[in-house]
Amino acid sequence: MVQHTATSVVTIERFIIEQERLHPEATGELSGILYDLALAAKLIANKVRRAGLVDILGATSDANIQGEIQQKLDVFANETIIKAVDHGGRLCAMASEEVEGIIPIPEHFKCGKYCLLFDPLDGSSNIDVNVPVGTVFSIVQKITRGRHGEMEDLLQPGRRQVAAGYVIYGSSTMLVYTTGQGAHGFTLDPSIGEFLLSHPNIRTPDEGQFLSVNDSYEQYWDEPTKQLMRKYRGLEGDRRPLTVRYVGSLVADFHRNLLGGGVFCYPPSKKSPQGKLRLLYEANPLAFICEQAGGAAIDGKTRVLDIQATELHQRVPLFMGSKNDVDLALRTFAHHSELVGA
Ligand code: P6P
């Protein structure tokens, strides 16, 4: 494979083709989905960039299945992604945070062998205050025999992903994705409408700088979680204290920690025993990218990518980021389990 540096001008299209060549058996279908998602990201970025200028702010009256008031932008993002990929003949089913059940491929379109799961615009509650928001996606291959994808295809564990990625609509628009050959970042050059390779082979530091957690829930955490946070803050044990950085927008917090090193935590609590974030289209894709960058992702005791989902929108506690910091979480919780088990 051609080794690129951040100085060579490589479009995402060229990079996708070069990655495809690593797989002689590749048919180009997966590449086609990635192109389509890059197009959707440009269309969404264009709207997000102008959100404050056109009458697209503010909540619609429809409450989506998450019980949240939908922001008009995430309705737009959801529809943009579906329209960008539903006709290409590469997918057999989709699932979105905005839609309760399976999104089937319309009968008049050909079905393919992949399923796409996505959160079209995560953190959408931050849109009106100009905090970065993001799109997250996960791609798995169909394992059932019919033409259309089924729930069993969508519920596969994260280790079965063939590709995953996110787009962050921040000070610049970046798309980061992996197909299992490393994690690579592309920055949108709006003057030419191209995603250009800016962060080849992202590696996340083993030791983090940042701790991302909403500690307003501390009163609801169990004792092992409280102890872990004391360790991260340097109040217990020998770890130098992490700096707390928490934007409250998953993709923004994840992206900063991926590049700078850090750990993102959404622990279980008495208020939300399974945390808040979704396994299939938030935790799994970000965990895949994190591991490809040398990091780790667990739910407290199990590797996120090994969790077998039972429901489409199920939530999962998350400790994700720099390897040594996630390892500290694993050891802390394991120690407590031994004590309890003793
Ligand atoms: P909390 C945004 O609403 C979101 O879904 C993620 O983007 C973010 O990481 C999380 O919720 C923040 O949750 O409970 O800290 O406000």
Side-chain angles (χ1 to χ4, degrees):
M1 175 188 168
V2 174
Q3 287 302 330
H4 290 295
T5 61
T7 54
S8 49
V9 179
V10 177
T11 64
I12 192 169
E13 283 79 6
R14 173 178 166 186
F15 193 87
I16 290 170
I17 289 170
E18 286 174 355
Q19 287 259 306
E20 182 187 314
R21 288 198 189 118
L22 298 176
H23 300 275
E25 76 287 358
T27 61
E29 287 177 81
L30 180 59
S31 296
I33 299 167
L34 294 170
Y35 296 145
D36 292 342
L37 289 171
L39 171 63
K42 293 177 199 174
L43 296 168
I44 295 166
N46 183 43
K47 269 288 193 286
V48 167
R49 293 269 160 266
R50 296 184 293 116
L53 305 174
V54 296
D55 179 30
I56 197 161
L57 283 180
T60 60
S61 53
D62 313 327
N64 68 3
I65 63 139
Q66 319 296 342
E68 299 154 4
I69 298 294
Q70 276 181 318
Q71 299 289 335
K72 286 180 183 174
L73 267 177
D74 61 13
V75 174
F76 170 81
N78 192 53
E79 288 165 7
T80 298
I81 291 171
I82 292 171
K83 286 182 193 146
V85 299
D86 68 354
H87 56 283
R90 300 152 185 144
L91 295 174
C92 58
M94 286 181 266
S96 166
E97 183 183 32
E98 301 301 332
V99 178
E100 186 160 1
I102 296 179
I103 304 169
I105 300 301
E107 278 309 322
H108 53 284
F109 290 144
K110 179 173 162 288
C111 279
K113 64 185 180 186
Y114 293 110
C115 300
L116 173 69
L117 304 97
F118 60 97
D119 184 353
L121 206 61
D122 177 80
S124 49
S125 53
N126 292 296
I127 290 168
D128 291 358
V129 292
N130 212 7
V131 164
V133 293
T135 297
V136 192
F137 65 87
S138 170
I139 301 173
V140 294
Q141 190 156 341
K142 184 155 78 85
I143 52 175
T144 58
R145 301 177 59 79
R147 175 169 175 260
H148 286 280
E150 299 170 22
M151 192 56 81
E152 184 186 353
D153 298 307
L154 296 169
L155 295 181
Q156 294 179 71
R159 65 175 177 273
R160 303 272 302 168
Q161 292 175 100
V162 295
Y166 64 87
V167 185
I168 178 168
Y169 310 99
S171 47
S172 66
T173 298
M174 268 194 76
L175 190 157
V176 176
Y177 86 92
T178 183
T179 56
Q181 272 84 30
H184 310 283
F186 301 80
T187 300
L188 182 64
D189 179 341
S191 67
I192 57 173
E194 286 286 0
F195 277 108
L196 303 180
L197 180 66
S198 54
H199 296 72
N201 289 308
I202 296 170
R203 303 301 297 167
T204 197
D206 286 347
E207 290 276 326
Q209 291 180 64
F210 306 114
L211 167 60
S212 301
V213 69
N214 183 341
D215 55 14
S216 66
Y217 302 135
E218 183 157 12
Q219 58 186 307
Y220 305 115
W221 292 339
D222 62 15
E223 185 43 42
T225 301
K226 291 177 183 175
Q227 185 189 30
L228 176 63
M229 296 305 154
R230 287 196 298 272
K231 291 179 180 177
Y232 282 152
R233 289 192 169 83
L235 301 173
E236 191 175 318
D238 54 7
R239 203 215 179 284
R240 63 176 174 71
L242 291 166
T243 302
V244 176
R245 287 285 184 279
Y246 191 72
V247 173
S249 182
L250 173 64
V251 174
D253 283 318
F254 177 83
H255 183 70
R256 177 200 54 247
N257 292 359
L258 182 74
L259 297 186
V263 59
F264 176 94
C265 305
Y266 207 103
S269 72
K270 293 189 190 86
K271 282 183 79 173
S272 44
Q274 290 308 311
K276 176 179 183 182
L277 301 165
R278 310 293 180 170
L279 173 59
L280 291 177
Y281 42 78
E282 290 175 337
N284 275 346
L286 296 182
F288 189 12
I289 288 174
C290 193
E291 289 194 1
Q292 286 289 310
I298 60 172
D299 68 353
K301 60 182 183 304
T302 306
R303 180 189 180 223
V304 167
L305 296 185
D306 287 337
I307 297 172
Q308 174 58 58
T310 52
E311 290 165 28
L312 202 52
H313 300 287
Q314 77 181 62
R315 301 175 193 268
V316 65
L318 263 190
F319 302 85
M320 172 168 61
S322 292
K323 186 172 167 304
N324 294 353
D325 297 320
V326 174
D327 198 44
L328 178 59
L330 200 59
R331 286 186 278 113
T332 301
F333 294 128
H335 175 66
H336 277 270
S337 304
E338 285 159 16
L339 291 180
V340 168

